[in-house]
PDB file of all heavy atoms in Angstrom:
ATOM      1  N   ARG Z   1      23.201 116.329  62.650  1.00 84.00           N
ATOM      2  CA  ARG Z   1      22.006 115.636  62.813  1.00 84.00           C
ATOM      3  C   ARG Z   1      21.690 115.107  64.245  1.00 84.00           C
ATOM      4  O   ARG Z   1      20.505 115.061  64.607  1.00 84.00           O
ATOM      5  CB  ARG Z   1      22.145 114.247  61.866  1.00 84.00           C
ATOM      6  CG  ARG Z   1      20.741 113.438  61.898  1.00 84.00           C
ATOM      7  CD  ARG Z   1      20.981 112.283  60.873  1.00 84.00           C
ATOM      8  NE  ARG Z   1      21.056 112.647  59.481  1.00 84.00           N
ATOM      9  CZ  ARG Z   1      22.023 112.689  58.853  1.00 84.00           C
ATOM     10  NH1 ARG Z   1      23.281 112.377  59.260  1.00 84.00           N
ATOM     11  NH2 ARG Z   1      21.997 113.027  57.489  1.00 84.00           N
ATOM     12  N   ASP Z   2      22.774 114.994  65.062  1.00 82.00           N
ATOM     13  CA  ASP Z   2      22.540 114.605  66.341  1.00 82.00           C
ATOM     14  C   ASP Z   2      22.633 115.714  67.475  1.00 82.00           C
ATOM     15  O   ASP Z   2      22.144 115.688  68.414  1.00 82.00           O
ATOM     16  CB  ASP Z   2      23.630 113.514  66.756  1.00 82.00           C
ATOM     17  CG  ASP Z   2      23.617 112.384  65.731  1.00 82.00           C
ATOM     18  OD1 ASP Z   2      22.596 111.929  65.433  1.00 82.00           O
ATOM     19  OD2 ASP Z   2      24.594 111.843  65.376  1.00 82.00           O
ATOM     20  N   ILE Z   3      23.456 116.749  67.173  1.00 86.00           N
ATOM     21  CA  ILE Z   3      23.849 117.739  68.168  1.00 86.00           C
ATOM     22  C   ILE Z   3      23.888 119.034  67.499  1.00 86.00           C
ATOM     23  O   ILE Z   3      24.015 119.249  66.238  1.00 86.00           O
ATOM     24  CB  ILE Z   3      25.085 117.579  68.867  1.00 86.00           C
ATOM     25  CG1 ILE Z   3      26.263 117.682  68.075  1.00 86.00           C
ATOM     26  CG2 ILE Z   3      25.047 116.179  69.631  1.00 86.00           C
ATOM     27  CD1 ILE Z   3      27.492 117.715  68.671  1.00 86.00           C
ATOM     28  N   ASP Z   4      23.794 120.102  68.280  1.00 91.00           N
ATOM     29  CA  ASP Z   4      23.929 121.552  67.847  1.00 91.00           C
ATOM     30  C   ASP Z   4      25.342 121.969  68.024  1.00 91.00           C
ATOM     31  O   ASP Z   4      25.690 122.469  69.075  1.00 91.00           O
ATOM     32  CB  ASP Z   4      22.994 122.478  68.680  1.00 91.00           C
ATOM     33  CG  ASP Z   4      22.920 123.779  67.949  1.00 91.00           C
ATOM     34  OD1 ASP Z   4      23.813 124.131  67.339  1.00 91.00           O
ATOM     35  OD2 ASP Z   4      21.936 124.628  68.160  1.00 91.00           O
ATOM     36  N   LYS Z   5      26.183 121.856  66.975  1.00 92.00           N
ATOM     37  CA  LYS Z   5      27.613 121.970  67.095  1.00 92.00           C
ATOM     38  C   LYS Z   5      27.945 123.438  67.388  1.00 92.00           C
ATOM     39  O   LYS Z   5      28.852 123.744  68.165  1.00 92.00           O
ATOM     40  CB  LYS Z   5      28.271 121.654  65.797  1.00 92.00           C
ATOM     41  CG  LYS Z   5      28.193 120.143  65.532  1.00 92.00           C
ATOM     42  CD  LYS Z   5      28.888 119.920  64.184  1.00 92.00           C
ATOM     43  CE  LYS Z   5      28.800 118.590  63.609  1.00 92.00           C
ATOM     44  NZ  LYS Z   5      29.523 118.257  62.444  1.00 92.00           N
ATOM     45  N   TRP Z   6      27.166 124.363  66.915  1.00 95.00           N
ATOM     46  CA  TRP Z   6      27.434 125.744  67.041  1.00 95.00           C
ATOM     47  C   TRP Z   6      27.260 126.212  68.512  1.00 95.00           C
ATOM     48  O   TRP Z   6      27.670 127.306  68.934  1.00 95.00           O
ATOM     49  CB  TRP Z   6      26.637 126.663  66.170  1.00 95.00           C
ATOM     50  CG  TRP Z   6      27.023 126.453  64.755  1.00 95.00           C
ATOM     51  CD1 TRP Z   6      26.569 125.717  63.804  1.00 95.00           C
ATOM     52  CD2 TRP Z   6      28.210 127.104  64.154  1.00 95.00           C
ATOM     53  NE1 TRP Z   6      27.315 125.777  62.666  1.00 95.00           N
ATOM     54  CE2 TRP Z   6      28.407 126.683  62.701  1.00 95.00           C
ATOM     55  CE3 TRP Z   6      29.243 127.961  64.640  1.00 95.00           C
ATOM     56  CZ2 TRP Z   6      29.341 127.149  61.933  1.00 95.00           C
ATOM     57  CZ3 TRP Z   6      30.151 128.406  63.785  1.00 95.00           C
ATOM     58  CH2 TRP Z   6      30.216 128.058  62.486  1.00 95.00           C
ATOM     59  N   ASN Z   7      26.530 125.476  69.389  1.00 92.00           N
ATOM     60  CA  ASN Z   7      26.326 125.909  70.776  1.00 92.00           C
ATOM     61  C   ASN Z   7      27.655 125.539  71.595  1.00 92.00           C
ATOM     62  O   ASN Z   7      27.740 126.005  72.770  1.00 92.00           O
ATOM     63  CB  ASN Z   7      25.156 125.002  71.416  1.00 92.00           C
ATOM     64  CG  ASN Z   7      23.791 125.726  71.239  1.00 92.00           C
ATOM     65  OD1 ASN Z   7      23.844 126.912  70.770  1.00 92.00           O
ATOM     66  ND2 ASN Z   7      22.715 125.005  71.428  1.00 92.00           N
ATOM     67  N   ASN Z   8      28.497 124.780  70.914  1.00 91.00           N
ATOM     68  CA  ASN Z   8      29.675 124.359  71.579  1.00 91.00           C
ATOM     69  C   ASN Z   8      30.871 125.302  71.392  1.00 91.00           C
ATOM     70  O   ASN Z   8      32.042 124.932  71.941  1.00 91.00           O
ATOM     71  CB  ASN Z   8      30.183 122.818  71.245  1.00 91.00           C
ATOM     72  CG  ASN Z   8      29.005 121.769  71.657  1.00 91.00           C
ATOM     73  OD1 ASN Z   8      28.211 122.098  72.472  1.00 91.00           O
ATOM     74  ND2 ASN Z   8      28.960 120.807  70.716  1.00 91.00           N
ATOM     75  N   VAL Z   9      30.730 126.261  70.573  1.00 93.00           N
ATOM     76  CA  VAL Z   9      31.920 127.101  70.252  1.00 93.00           C
ATOM     77  C   VAL Z   9      31.442 128.570  70.490  1.00 93.00           C
ATOM     78  O   VAL Z   9      30.280 128.870  70.446  1.00 93.00           O
ATOM     79  CB  VAL Z   9      32.300 126.941  68.801  1.00 93.00           C
ATOM     80  CG1 VAL Z   9      32.929 125.399  68.659  1.00 93.00           C
ATOM     81  CG2 VAL Z   9      31.376 127.110  67.803  1.00 93.00           C
ATOM     82  N   VAL Z  10      32.433 129.501  70.495  1.00 93.00           N
ATOM     83  CA  VAL Z  10      32.193 130.909  70.523  1.00 93.00           C
ATOM     84  C   VAL Z  10      31.890 131.407  69.020  1.00 93.00           C
ATOM     85  O   VAL Z  10      32.840 131.163  68.252  1.00 93.00           O
ATOM     86  CB  VAL Z  10      33.366 131.807  71.084  1.00 93.00           C
ATOM     87  CG1 VAL Z  10      32.986 133.194  71.003  1.00 93.00           C
ATOM     88  CG2 VAL Z  10      33.666 131.216  72.523  1.00 93.00           C
ATOM     89  N   LYS Z  11      30.796 131.864  68.778  1.00 95.00           N
ATOM     90  CA  LYS Z  11      30.348 132.125  67.375  1.00 95.00           C
ATOM     91  C   LYS Z  11      29.809 133.541  67.274  1.00 95.00           C
ATOM     92  O   LYS Z  11      29.490 134.246  68.357  1.00 95.00           O
ATOM     93  CB  LYS Z  11      29.318 131.078  66.947  1.00 95.00           C
ATOM     94  CG  LYS Z  11      27.888 131.237  67.629  1.00 95.00           C
ATOM     95  CD  LYS Z  11      26.885 130.155  67.098  1.00 95.00           C
ATOM     96  CE  LYS Z  11      25.545 130.431  67.784  1.00 95.00           C
ATOM     97  NZ  LYS Z  11      25.752 130.085  69.306  1.00 95.00           N
ATOM     98  N   GLU Z  12      29.677 133.901  66.009  1.00 96.00           N
ATOM     99  CA  GLU Z  12      28.990 135.154  65.743  1.00 96.00           C
ATOM    100  C   GLU Z  12      27.995 134.904  64.510  1.00 96.00           C
ATOM    101  O   GLU Z  12      28.249 134.085  63.701  1.00 96.00           O
ATOM    102  CB  GLU Z  12      29.841 136.383  65.443  1.00 96.00           C
ATOM    103  CG  GLU Z  12      30.772 135.962  64.214  1.00 96.00           C
ATOM    104  CD  GLU Z  12      31.772 137.211  63.996  1.00 96.00           C
ATOM    105  OE1 GLU Z  12      32.571 137.349  64.709  1.00 96.00           O
ATOM    106  OE2 GLU Z  12      31.517 138.010  63.065  1.00 96.00           O
ATOM    107  N   ILE Z  13      26.890 135.644  64.543  1.00 96.00           N
ATOM    108  CA  ILE Z  13      25.957 135.464  63.549  1.00 96.00           C
ATOM    109  C   ILE Z  13      25.957 136.822  62.655  1.00 96.00           C
ATOM    110  O   ILE Z  13      25.797 137.836  63.206  1.00 96.00           O
ATOM    111  CB  ILE Z  13      24.490 135.225  63.927  1.00 96.00           C
ATOM    112  CG1 ILE Z  13      24.368 134.050  64.937  1.00 96.00           C
ATOM    113  CG2 ILE Z  13      23.465 134.959  62.915  1.00 96.00           C
ATOM    114  CD1 ILE Z  13      24.995 132.710  64.347  1.00 96.00           C
ATOM    115  N   ARG Z  14      26.049 136.586  61.340  1.00 96.00           N
ATOM    116  CA  ARG Z  14      26.128 137.724  60.462  1.00 96.00           C
ATOM    117  C   ARG Z  14      25.176 137.394  59.179  1.00 96.00           C
ATOM    118  O   ARG Z  14      25.439 136.462  58.579  1.00 96.00           O
ATOM    119  CB  ARG Z  14      27.573 137.974  59.945  1.00 96.00           C
ATOM    120  CG  ARG Z  14      27.609 139.207  59.129  1.00 96.00           C
ATOM    121  CD  ARG Z  14      29.058 139.791  59.045  1.00 96.00           C
ATOM    122  NE  ARG Z  14      29.401 140.756  58.022  1.00 96.00           N
ATOM    123  CZ  ARG Z  14      30.299 141.613  58.019  1.00 96.00           C
ATOM    124  NH1 ARG Z  14      30.926 141.648  59.130  1.00 96.00           N
ATOM    125  NH2 ARG Z  14      30.654 142.402  56.898  1.00 96.00           N
ATOM    126  N   ASP Z  15      24.254 138.275  59.053  1.00 96.00           N
ATOM    127  CA  ASP Z  15      23.232 138.060  57.955  1.00 96.00           C
ATOM    128  C   ASP Z  15      22.736 136.619  57.931  1.00 96.00           C
ATOM    129  O   ASP Z  15      22.610 135.917  56.986  1.00 96.00           O
ATOM    130  CB  ASP Z  15      23.999 138.263  56.503  1.00 96.00           C
ATOM    131  CG  ASP Z  15      24.343 139.775  56.447  1.00 96.00           C
ATOM    132  OD1 ASP Z  15      23.649 140.583  56.964  1.00 96.00           O
ATOM    133  OD2 ASP Z  15      25.231 140.027  55.674  1.00 96.00           O
ATOM    134  N   ASP Z  16      22.418 136.177  59.158  1.00 96.00           N
ATOM    135  CA  ASP Z  16      21.735 134.892  59.465  1.00 96.00           C
ATOM    136  C   ASP Z  16      22.500 133.704  58.952  1.00 96.00           C
ATOM    137  O   ASP Z  16      22.050 132.579  58.663  1.00 96.00           O
ATOM    138  CB  ASP Z  16      20.440 134.770  58.598  1.00 96.00           C
ATOM    139  CG  ASP Z  16      19.368 133.956  59.444  1.00 96.00           C
ATOM    140  OD1 ASP Z  16      19.503 133.890  60.626  1.00 96.00           O
ATOM    141  OD2 ASP Z  16      18.421 133.606  58.830  1.00 96.00           O
ATOM    142  N   LEU Z  17      23.894 133.700  59.106  1.00 97.00           N
ATOM    143  CA  LEU Z  17      24.842 132.583  58.912  1.00 97.00           C
ATOM    144  C   LEU Z  17      25.801 132.622  60.071  1.00 97.00           C
ATOM    145  O   LEU Z  17      26.215 133.620  60.581  1.00 97.00           O
ATOM    146  CB  LEU Z  17      25.477 132.654  57.571  1.00 97.00           C
ATOM    147  CG  LEU Z  17      24.729 132.247  56.365  1.00 97.00           C
ATOM    148  CD1 LEU Z  17      25.595 132.350  55.067  1.00 97.00           C
ATOM    149  CD2 LEU Z  17      24.201 130.689  56.478  1.00 97.00           C
ATOM    150  N   PRO Z  18      26.255 131.483  60.570  1.00 97.00           N
ATOM    151  CA  PRO Z  18      27.132 131.424  61.645  1.00 97.00           C
ATOM    152  C   PRO Z  18      28.677 131.407  61.317  1.00 97.00           C
ATOM    153  O   PRO Z  18      28.984 130.893  60.270  1.00 97.00           O
ATOM    154  CB  PRO Z  18      26.806 129.998  62.351  1.00 97.00           C
ATOM    155  CG  PRO Z  18      26.364 129.197  61.161  1.00 97.00           C
ATOM    156  CD  PRO Z  18      25.712 130.099  60.159  1.00 97.00           C
ATOM    157  N   TYR Z  19      29.455 131.948  62.059  1.00 97.00           N
ATOM    158  CA  TYR Z  19      30.941 131.980  61.870  1.00 97.00           C
ATOM    159  C   TYR Z  19      31.654 131.785  63.201  1.00 97.00           C
ATOM    160  O   TYR Z  19      31.138 132.219  64.296  1.00 97.00           O
ATOM    161  CB  TYR Z  19      31.420 133.488  61.351  1.00 97.00           C
ATOM    162  CG  TYR Z  19      30.782 133.733  60.059  1.00 97.00           C
ATOM    163  CD1 TYR Z  19      29.597 134.474  59.941  1.00 97.00           C
ATOM    164  CD2 TYR Z  19      31.500 133.479  58.774  1.00 97.00           C
ATOM    165  CE1 TYR Z  19      28.900 134.726  58.757  1.00 97.00           C
ATOM    166  CE2 TYR Z  19      30.882 133.845  57.590  1.00 97.00           C
ATOM    167  CZ  TYR Z  19      29.655 134.375  57.480  1.00 97.00           C
ATOM    168  OH  TYR Z  19      29.000 134.800  56.323  1.00 97.00           O
ATOM    169  N   LEU Z  20      32.789 131.165  63.271  1.00 96.00           N
ATOM    170  CA  LEU Z  20      33.760 131.135  64.399  1.00 96.00           C
ATOM    171  C   LEU Z  20      34.222 132.370  64.730  1.00 96.00           C
ATOM    172  O   LEU Z  20      34.906 133.107  63.846  1.00 96.00           O
ATOM    173  CB  LEU Z  20      34.740 130.031  64.078  1.00 96.00           C
ATOM    174  CG  LEU Z  20      34.370 128.525  64.122  1.00 96.00           C
ATOM    175  CD1 LEU Z  20      35.626 127.806  63.668  1.00 96.00           C
ATOM    176  CD2 LEU Z  20      33.972 128.089  65.508  1.00 96.00           C
ATOM    177  N   SER Z  21      34.027 132.780  65.974  1.00 94.00           N
ATOM    178  CA  SER Z  21      34.617 134.009  66.271  1.00 94.00           C
ATOM    179  C   SER Z  21      36.079 134.008  66.165  1.00 94.00           C
ATOM    180  O   SER Z  21      36.871 135.126  65.932  1.00 94.00           O
ATOM    181  CB  SER Z  21      34.291 134.436  67.809  1.00 94.00           C
ATOM    182  OG  SER Z  21      32.834 134.537  67.782  1.00 94.00           O
ATOM    183  N   THR Z  22      36.759 132.966  66.371  1.00 93.00           N
ATOM    184  CA  THR Z  22      38.233 132.835  66.250  1.00 93.00           C
ATOM    185  C   THR Z  22      38.812 132.555  65.014  1.00 93.00           C
ATOM    186  O   THR Z  22      39.986 132.448  64.761  1.00 93.00           O
ATOM    187  CB  THR Z  22      38.717 131.620  67.283  1.00 93.00           C
ATOM    188  OG1 THR Z  22      38.002 130.434  66.872  1.00 93.00           O
ATOM    189  CG2 THR Z  22      38.378 131.851  68.693  1.00 93.00           C
ATOM    190  N   ALA Z  23      37.966 132.582  63.862  1.00 96.00           N
ATOM    191  CA  ALA Z  23      38.456 132.285  62.491  1.00 96.00           C
ATOM    192  C   ALA Z  23      39.378 133.263  62.082  1.00 96.00           C
ATOM    193  O   ALA Z  23      39.288 134.477  62.424  1.00 96.00           O
ATOM    194  CB  ALA Z  23      37.223 132.117  61.539  1.00 96.00           C
ATOM    195  N   MET Z  24      40.409 132.967  61.280  1.00 95.00           N
ATOM    196  CA  MET Z  24      41.360 133.956  60.820  1.00 95.00           C
ATOM    197  C   MET Z  24      40.761 134.616  59.553  1.00 95.00           C
ATOM    198  O   MET Z  24      41.325 135.715  59.187  1.00 95.00           O
ATOM    199  CB  MET Z  24      42.608 133.241  60.354  1.00 95.00           C
ATOM    200  CG  MET Z  24      42.547 132.223  59.210  1.00 95.00           C
ATOM    201  SD  MET Z  24      44.261 131.702  58.754  1.00 95.00           S
ATOM    202  CE  MET Z  24      44.917 133.247  57.963  1.00 95.00           C
ATOM    203  N   ALA Z  25      39.705 134.183  59.081  1.00 96.00           N
ATOM    204  CA  ALA Z  25      38.949 134.909  58.035  1.00 96.00           C
ATOM    205  C   ALA Z  25      37.619 134.282  57.762  1.00 96.00           C
ATOM    206  O   ALA Z  25      37.405 133.114  58.123  1.00 96.00           O
ATOM    207  CB  ALA Z  25      39.794 134.896  56.665  1.00 96.00           C
ATOM    208  N   LYS Z  26      36.620 135.127  57.344  1.00 97.00           N
ATOM    209  CA  LYS Z  26      35.266 134.674  57.287  1.00 97.00           C
ATOM    210  C   LYS Z  26      34.672 135.059  55.899  1.00 97.00           C
ATOM    211  O   LYS Z  26      34.900 136.156  55.377  1.00 97.00           O
ATOM    212  CB  LYS Z  26      34.505 135.269  58.400  1.00 97.00           C
ATOM    213  CG  LYS Z  26      34.864 134.901  59.732  1.00 97.00           C
ATOM    214  CD  LYS Z  26      34.461 135.980  60.788  1.00 97.00           C
ATOM    215  CE  LYS Z  26      35.139 135.646  62.129  1.00 97.00           C
ATOM    216  NZ  LYS Z  26      34.893 136.563  63.237  1.00 97.00           N
ATOM    217  N   ILE Z  27      34.002 134.023  55.223  1.00 97.00           N
ATOM    218  CA  ILE Z  27      33.389 134.269  53.895  1.00 97.00           C
ATOM    219  C   ILE Z  27      32.059 133.788  53.881  1.00 97.00           C
ATOM    220  O   ILE Z  27      31.696 132.811  54.481  1.00 97.00           O
ATOM    221  CB  ILE Z  27      34.386 133.504  52.802  1.00 97.00           C
ATOM    222  CG1 ILE Z  27      35.739 133.915  52.867  1.00 97.00           C
ATOM    223  CG2 ILE Z  27      33.779 133.545  51.469  1.00 97.00           C
ATOM    224  CD1 ILE Z  27      36.728 132.888  52.281  1.00 97.00           C
ATOM    225  N   ARG Z  28      31.208 134.628  53.098  1.00 98.00           N
ATOM    226  CA  ARG Z  28      29.817 134.176  52.880  1.00 98.00           C
ATOM    227  C   ARG Z  28      29.695 134.036  51.349  1.00 98.00           C
ATOM    228  O   ARG Z  28      30.256 134.815  50.566  1.00 98.00           O
ATOM    229  CB  ARG Z  28      28.751 135.281  53.225  1.00 98.00           C
ATOM    230  CG  ARG Z  28      27.281 135.007  52.922  1.00 98.00           C
ATOM    231  CD  ARG Z  28      26.504 136.272  53.149  1.00 98.00           C
ATOM    232  NE  ARG Z  28      25.051 136.015  52.707  1.00 98.00           N
ATOM    233  CZ  ARG Z  28      24.176 135.587  53.419  1.00 98.00           C
ATOM    234  NH1 ARG Z  28      24.377 135.361  54.657  1.00 98.00           N
ATOM    235  NH2 ARG Z  28      22.937 135.424  52.884  1.00 98.00           N
ATOM    236  N   ALA Z  29      29.041 132.945  50.910  1.00 98.00           N
ATOM    237  CA  ALA Z  29      28.916 132.790  49.506  1.00 98.00           C
ATOM    238  C   ALA Z  29      27.584 132.194  49.155  1.00 98.00           C
ATOM    239  O   ALA Z  29      26.819 131.551  50.014  1.00 98.00           O
ATOM    240  CB  ALA Z  29      29.915 131.671  49.073  1.00 98.00           C
ATOM    241  N   ARG Z  30      27.163 132.471  47.890  1.00 98.00           N
ATOM    242  CA  ARG Z  30      25.898 132.032  47.336  1.00 98.00           C
ATOM    243  C   ARG Z  30      26.055 131.131  46.266  1.00 98.00           C
ATOM    244  O   ARG Z  30      26.858 131.330  45.216  1.00 98.00           O
ATOM    245  CB  ARG Z  30      24.977 133.278  47.068  1.00 98.00           C
ATOM    246  CG  ARG Z  30      23.584 132.829  46.462  1.00 98.00           C
ATOM    247  CD  ARG Z  30      22.656 134.156  46.277  1.00 98.00           C
ATOM    248  NE  ARG Z  30      22.373 134.799  47.468  1.00 98.00           N
ATOM    249  CZ  ARG Z  30      21.491 134.487  48.286  1.00 98.00           C
ATOM    250  NH1 ARG Z  30      20.737 133.377  48.195  1.00 98.00           N
ATOM    251  NH2 ARG Z  30      21.397 135.178  49.472  1.00 98.00           N
ATOM    252  N   VAL Z  31      25.446 129.942  46.319  1.00 98.00           N
ATOM    253  CA  VAL Z  31      25.543 128.939  45.310  1.00 98.00           C
ATOM    254  C   VAL Z  31      25.002 129.483  43.953  1.00 98.00           C
ATOM    255  O   VAL Z  31      23.744 129.934  43.877  1.00 98.00           O
ATOM    256  CB  VAL Z  31      24.873 127.573  45.694  1.00 98.00           C
ATOM    257  CG1 VAL Z  31      25.003 126.478  44.502  1.00 98.00           C
ATOM    258  CG2 VAL Z  31      25.469 127.061  46.946  1.00 98.00           C
ATOM    259  N   VAL Z  32      25.705 129.140  42.806  1.00 98.00           N
ATOM    260  CA  VAL Z  32      25.297 129.685  41.459  1.00 98.00           C
ATOM    261  C   VAL Z  32      24.922 128.471  40.701  1.00 98.00           C
ATOM    262  O   VAL Z  32      24.221 128.333  39.757  1.00 98.00           O
ATOM    263  CB  VAL Z  32      26.088 130.675  40.808  1.00 98.00           C
ATOM    264  CG1 VAL Z  32      26.205 131.861  41.566  1.00 98.00           C
ATOM    265  CG2 VAL Z  32      27.522 130.034  40.608  1.00 98.00           C
ATOM    266  N   SER Z  33      25.720 127.284  40.992  1.00 97.00           N
ATOM    267  CA  SER Z  33      25.526 126.009  40.214  1.00 97.00           C
ATOM    268  C   SER Z  33      26.065 124.909  41.017  1.00 97.00           C
ATOM    269  O   SER Z  33      26.873 125.236  42.062  1.00 97.00           O
ATOM    270  CB  SER Z  33      26.166 126.175  38.828  1.00 97.00           C
ATOM    271  OG  SER Z  33      27.600 126.144  38.969  1.00 97.00           O
ATOM    272  N   LYS Z  34      25.727 123.652  40.657  1.00 96.00           N
ATOM    273  CA  LYS Z  34      26.288 122.437  41.329  1.00 96.00           C
ATOM    274  C   LYS Z  34      26.497 121.414  40.358  1.00 96.00           C
ATOM    275  O   LYS Z  34      25.774 121.300  39.332  1.00 96.00           O
ATOM    276  CB  LYS Z  34      25.473 122.119  42.559  1.00 96.00           C
ATOM    277  CG  LYS Z  34      24.094 121.524  42.172  1.00 96.00           C
ATOM    278  CD  LYS Z  34      23.309 120.984  43.453  1.00 96.00           C
ATOM    279  CE  LYS Z  34      22.179 120.384  43.107  1.00 96.00           C
ATOM    280  NZ  LYS Z  34      21.304 119.789  44.248  1.00 96.00           N
TER     281      LYS Z  34
END
């Protein structure tokens, strides 16, 4: 709400979602219920 956190890290954008470049694994998920 206050800052752009993703500007402070090395990131990559894939299919319009951000991921940490240094992550040991990356997952994209779509909500089906809540």
Side-chain angles (χ1 to χ4, degrees):
R1 183 178 287 105
D2 303 322
I3 65 168
D4 190 337
K5 299 180 183 181
W6 288 101
N7 273 349
N8 299 331
V9 296
V10 180
K11 67 180 181 297
E12 61 182 77
I13 306 300
R14 179 160 168 157
D15 295 329
D16 214 20
L17 281 177
Y19 300 86
L20 284 171
S21 296
T22 56
M24 64 173 289
K26 301 159 189 174
I27 299 168
R28 174 191 175 94
R30 181 172 297 276
V31 176
V32 297
S33 65
K34 70 175 183 178

